[in-house]
Structure formats: C-alpha cells, structure tokens
Amino acid sequence: METMVVSFQVSNRPINPDYQTQLIAQGANPLMAKLWAARGVSDIEQTETSWQKLIAPQLLTQVEKGATILADAIEANKQLLIIADYDCDGATACAVGVRALRMMGANINFMVPNRFETGYGLSPAVIDVMLERVYPKPDLIITVDNGIASVEGVEAAKKVGIDVLITDHHLPGDTLPDALAIINPNQKDCQFPSKNLAGVGVIFYTMIALRAELRRRGHFTQKPEPRLDELADLVALGTVADVVKLDSNNRLLVTQGLQKIRSGKMQAGIQALFDIASTDPRQASSMDLGFKIGPRINAAGRLADMSIGIRCLISQDYDEAFELAKQLNDWNSTRRHIEQEMSQQALQEIESEAFKLKHAICVFNPEWHQGVVGIVASRLKEKFWKPTLAFAPGDDGEIRGSGRSVPDVHLRDALDLVSKRYPTLIQKFGGHAMAAGLTIYQKDFDTFITAFDQAVVDISGKTHFSPLIETDGTLDIQYSTVETAIALSQYVWGAGFPSPLFRDTFTVKEQYLLKEKHLKLLLEREGVRFNAIWFNHPEMVDEQVELIYEVVPNYWQGNVSLQLLIRYTV
C-alpha cells in the first residue's frame, strides 16, 4: 500500500483582546502581551515566578495530616520507605522525597518497582519483593507518583504491619486505598487550584508542609532549617518530563528550577546529566529538560533498573553521579537503537500490501521490547496522525500494548468502550486522553484491531484526523532580534503553554544543504536578513516562501546570534 501523507491545517492562535490590553497596561511589552494572551494569561500576576506566588500547601487536601504522620515517624525514629514509579517523574519525586526527608533527619530508603517484574505502582507483588529485599522492614511506606489505585497493595502492606501514606497526581478510581492519608490534588473535594501538579510537585508540597510541622514542634531550634528550594531543579525536571500542563503554578516551579540550573546550583546528578548530554546548563531551557535530560533518566526504567536513575539524582558526589550518568547515557543510546529498529519494522509492516491502514494503527511484533513500544507508538502517531497502539510480548500468551492518541480521540475512553462491548477482550487497561496501556491475549489481536478501530470512530465521530498547527501569526520586525530570541528561550514553554511559532513570507537569498540533510538558508523580510535552518529537510524551497518558524539564540564560540528554526512551509 502507499504510505499516507498527513495534511495539516494552519491557523493563528486566537487572542483575547481584553487580556492583551490588560497585560500591556500592566507593563508587558506588546509581543509578550500578545503571546501570553493567546495562551490564556489574563493578568501579569500569572506570569510571576517568585516563591512568594506559590500556591499555599495548606490547600492540598490531607497534606497537613500527611505532614503530621511523617513528623511523628521522624520523631519516633521509624523506618521509612519510598515506593516510586519507574519514569522520570517518579524518579525525581523519589529523589525529592529522599533528599528532603534526609535533610529533616528521617531514616529513609527507597525502592522502585521493575516494569517487567511487578508492573506499575504499589501492588501486592511489590510488597512481596520488598519483604525479600528491603532490610530493615519499613514501618511506613510513602508512595510517590503512584498509589491512588493501589487498593490491594495497601491491604497487602497493612497485613504485614506496614502503614502507607500516598502522594500521587493520577485520577482516582471509584474505590480509594485504605491509607493513613492520601495527598492528591485530583481527589474529590480537594480545593487545590492547580490540578496539574506532577508527582514530583505533590511530594515537594508534602515536604514543605512537613518542614512547617517540624518547625512548629521546635525541631529546628538546635540546627538550621533545610532549604527545600535547593531541590527545585528536580521538581522542574520531573514536571517537564511528565508533560503535565504548565499552568502558572507549574511554570513557577519549572522557572525556579531552571534558575538554579543556570546559576550552577544544581544536584550533582543533574550537572552530570547536562555534561554527558554536552549541553550548557547556563542556557538551560525546558526543552533541554524534556528532550535531553528526561529521556536519559527514562531509559533506565524502560530497559533496566530505575534505581540507577534515582541514585544519580540523589548523589551528592559529582564523580559518583557522573559514573551513573554514563550508564544512563549508554542505556539511552541502546534505547534509541532499539526504538529505531522497532519503528523501521513497524513502518515496513504498515507499508506492506497486507496491512490495512484504517482509522487507527495497531502493530505487534513478537521480537519487540516492552519498555520501548510507547515511543514507537508515539513516532507512528506523529507520522500518520492516527491513534496508535504498539504491542510487545508479555507473559503466558499475553501481549502488552502502549498507545498514543491525537486530540480528537480520548484513548482511555476508546479502550473503555472496547472493554464494555467485548468484556473478555482486554485483560487490563489504564491511562488518559493522550496515552494509555493495556494487556490482551495474542490470540485476540485481530479481533481487538477491528474492535478498537470501530471504537475510535464512535468515540470521535470522525473517520479522518488532521493535525492543526497553531501559530502566533506574524512577528513584528522590530522584535525579530537576538534579544527577543534570548528572552523567549529563558521563558518556560511546554504542555498546554506551547512555545511561540511565527508565520511570515520571506525571500530566499541563499540555500544549501548541511551534511546532506539539513537545509541552511539566508532569508530576507522587510529589508532585514536572517540566518535560518530546517533540520532533517533535504529539499530546497521556492524563492518566495511562507514559513512557520521559531526564533532561537544561536550560541557559537562565545557569541550569540539570532537564528530562525523552520518547522513547516505553508
């Protein structure tokens, strides 16, 4: 069959003119006022990033109860154990918990479930493994970035005399675990204004509340209070890597973390990861956290053992952290190689005569790696712009799938619809709108493909999906400067708060290929010339061309210049 070429629609982001007027009146320059207003910012206060503007911890349901439980445990010299998740949010949340609790005098250890042994979260199987491997046996388990669905796991812990405190950010089900306290902004009746905290954000807030409780008890009369802002780099990394919406509170947390990194006041592990990624922390951006640092941490959970990633993040010795970062880097290179091979195999299957490309994509290969199918699904979704599930072998005739979706299709709801129509087809599933996971039997794969394809159409009411590229329209020539590029690069952009994309028509003065695959251009607009690059685009463009682009600072040999980063032609 022929490979489908995805056509996209382009529109300018709608701007609320009242917001824009208000922001200019409050002192924002017209460009920032336009960009912020198009992203729902109505008041300049929402762009402030000092610690004083952080939402108060007391608004988080049961956080003070959790702080009391932890303070009692510290004073009673109890053994505490963090159970983490095996992704970057879970690893940074674990590192924040371990570092902060140690600062406050706790006996703290950690354990992270292995995605291939026990699966996600605090399960009865994790309790069994913990009893074998962790000594001394903990008195209290603290979950980070998991636990809200661990009804059986909490029961299993209680049966062996271990209490559980849950900190999580995932959506709760109908039944909550019987834990001592549950700290989660998404639980019913929680008044916390930001429902978008990552797992690392929830444990960070819990540690702030714990410090306040210990302060109230006079715990710090003989010793200095711990500086929890020293952990802001970890909070920033986990928040960006988990792709939670960057609302004003999350932007504050990420900005504070980036400021620590840029000023050189970061964890030894984060410094080591920047060094191993050949990235200058002095110009660190949210993109660096999301695309350079985060994947190296995630590689440990995908291929091996996330405890290496956590040990890197909690290390206070640079040499030790660098050795661990080297391991993470090696795993990331291996992960990339495996993923490229799997993606190539998937494309060959999709482009074969036998494959029927319908409304969704489902692919399975008995040789594939469970830890990498999510990335393959993501690559295929981007290429074909269809909801995509990629499966790898599991145990006992099962196959495990990981999926990514397009904005028109709520992936978890589509799987839920399949499970209601075919009650025995899906063994288990979970997730949210844009990403989900599931387990089915290999013998049911063909039946599932048909059922899922129909569910995608029924959920969305569509049989064809097109990506929408939203731009910020023209960039006024007076702001087409290196100063603008530097300012924009220092600001926090990401999920729900996309980085600016501009759209203008240029005259092409020069163009040539770099390394036979990147297009380098000299462009002109309104008498001003611009250097531009279009990565992985080996085709030349017309002399007059309408481009969608970003403005970025280009640092080279101690100098900085403006560069346009081309994304699309219109």
Side-chain angles (χ1 to χ4, degrees), residues 115-116 342 349 361-371 373-374 389-403 415 424-430 436-450 452:
R115 89 161 64 210
F116 312 111
M342 285 167 57
E349 183 186 340
I361 294 173
C362 293
V363 284
F364 163 68
N365 187 313
E367 303 298 313
W368 283 355
H369 193 294
Q370 252 180 55
V373 282
L389 295 168
F391 290 83
D395 303 319
D396 307 320
E398 291 179 341
I399 57 176
R400 294 182 185 173
S402 184
L415 294 174
T424 60
L425 193 55
I426 301 179
Q427 302 312 301
K428 58 182 176 186
F429 71 96
L438 73 158
T439 300
I440 63 174
Y441 284 109
Q442 186 176 338
K443 64 180 176 59
D444 294 331
F445 184 58
D446 290 340
T447 309
F448 174 80
I449 291 173
T450 307
F452 180 65

Side-chain angles (χ1 to χ4, degrees), residues 241-356:
D242 214 46
V243 202
V244 291
K245 184 179 179 185
L246 293 178
D247 59 21
S248 56
N249 201 61
N250 277 341
R251 292 200 305 275
L252 186 161
L253 290 169
V254 175
T255 302
Q256 287 292 340
L258 284 170
Q259 284 173 359
K260 282 269 181 277
I261 293 167
R262 289 171 192 152
S263 64
K265 297 172 184 167
M266 67 199 105
Q267 313 306 311
I270 300 239
Q271 172 79 61
L273 285 161
F274 267 90
D275 291 347
I276 209 96
S278 303
T279 300
D280 187 351
R282 290 172 299 181
Q283 273 91 43
S285 70
S286 45
M287 298 300 158
D288 293 330
L289 298 181
F291 293 102
K292 293 180 180 174
I293 311 304
R296 285 172 165 82
I297 295 284
N298 273 326
R302 291 188 185 283
L303 298 187
D305 178 7
M306 183 48 98
S307 60
I308 301 287
I310 295 167
R311 281 172 50 208
C312 178
L313 294 176
I314 62 176
S315 174
Q316 292 180 270
D317 177 80
Y318 177 82
D319 293 337
E320 177 193 41
F322 190 76
E323 287 306 309
L324 294 165
K326 277 204 293 204
Q327 281 188 53
L328 295 172
N329 195 55
D330 290 345
W331 277 333
N332 193 48
S333 300
T334 304
R335 186 270 308 162
R336 275 208 296 255
H337 177 72
I338 293 169
E339 175 228 314
Q340 283 165 359
E341 205 168 279
M342 285 167 57
S343 294
Q344 201 53 48
Q345 289 165 345
L347 280 173
Q348 283 169 358
E349 183 186 340
I350 290 168
E351 290 168 0
S352 71
E353 291 296 328
F355 193 85
K356 302 284 188 290

Side-chain angles (χ1 to χ4, degrees), residues 416-566:
D416 191 42
L417 184 57
V418 173
S419 74
K420 286 185 169 69
R421 288 175 174 172
Y422 302 86
T424 60
L425 193 55
I426 301 179
Q427 302 312 301
K428 58 182 176 186
F429 71 96
H432 46 87
M434 299 302 283
L438 73 158
T439 300
I440 63 174
Y441 284 109
Q442 186 176 338
K443 64 180 176 59
D444 294 331
F445 184 58
D446 290 340
T447 309
F448 174 80
I449 291 173
T450 307
F452 180 65
D453 205 72
Q454 190 57 52
V456 162
V457 175
D458 294 343
I459 281 280
S460 65
K462 294 184 175 185
T463 56
H464 177 71
F465 309 105
S466 294
L468 173 66
I469 295 163
E470 286 195 309
T471 82
D472 293 288
T474 187
L475 176 60
D476 190 315
I477 204 78
Q478 69 168 312
Y479 292 115
S480 300
T481 63
V482 70
E483 289 76 19
T484 296
I486 292 168
L488 293 180
S489 75
Q490 298 282 297
Y491 204 73
V492 169
W493 312 97
F497 206 79
S499 59
L501 272 180
F502 302 104
R503 175 183 178 181
D504 285 296
T505 301
F506 295 88
T507 302
V508 178
K509 292 296 187 183
E510 292 173 20
Q511 56 181 321
Y512 62 93
L513 285 182
L514 192 64
K515 298 180 181 174
E516 296 181 9
K517 63 177 181 176
H518 310 305
L519 185 62
K520 282 278 285 178
L521 305 106
L522 180 63
L523 303 172
E524 186 172 277
R525 180 166 80 90
E526 295 182 36
V528 180
R529 293 197 169 189
F530 301 95
N531 286 310
I533 190 162
W534 193 345
F535 288 112
N536 298 307
H537 183 88
E539 295 92 33
M540 299 291 179
V541 296
D542 296 338
E543 190 184 342
Q544 289 291 316
V545 63
E546 189 176 1
L547 298 172
I548 296 172
Y549 63 97
E550 294 178 53
V551 292
V552 296
N554 185 26
Y555 295 96
W556 178 249
Q557 294 183 337
N559 297 314
V560 57
S561 60
L562 173 66
Q563 183 166 257
L564 309 188
L565 206 56
I566 301 171

Side-chain angles (χ1 to χ4, degrees), residues 215-234:
R215 182 191 298 142
R216 195 182 63 73
R217 298 182 183 198
H219 192 76
F220 304 116
T221 49
Q222 303 299 315
K223 54 186 171 184
E225 279 194 18
R227 290 289 304 266
L228 295 179
D229 64 328
E230 290 173 7
L231 307 176
D233 53 348
L234 295 168

Side-chain angles (χ1 to χ4, degrees), residues 134-148:
V134 177
Y135 182 83
K137 187 181 93 172
D139 302 300
L140 175 67
I141 283 172
I142 304 149
T143 71
V144 295
D145 193 31
N146 74 95
I148 196 68

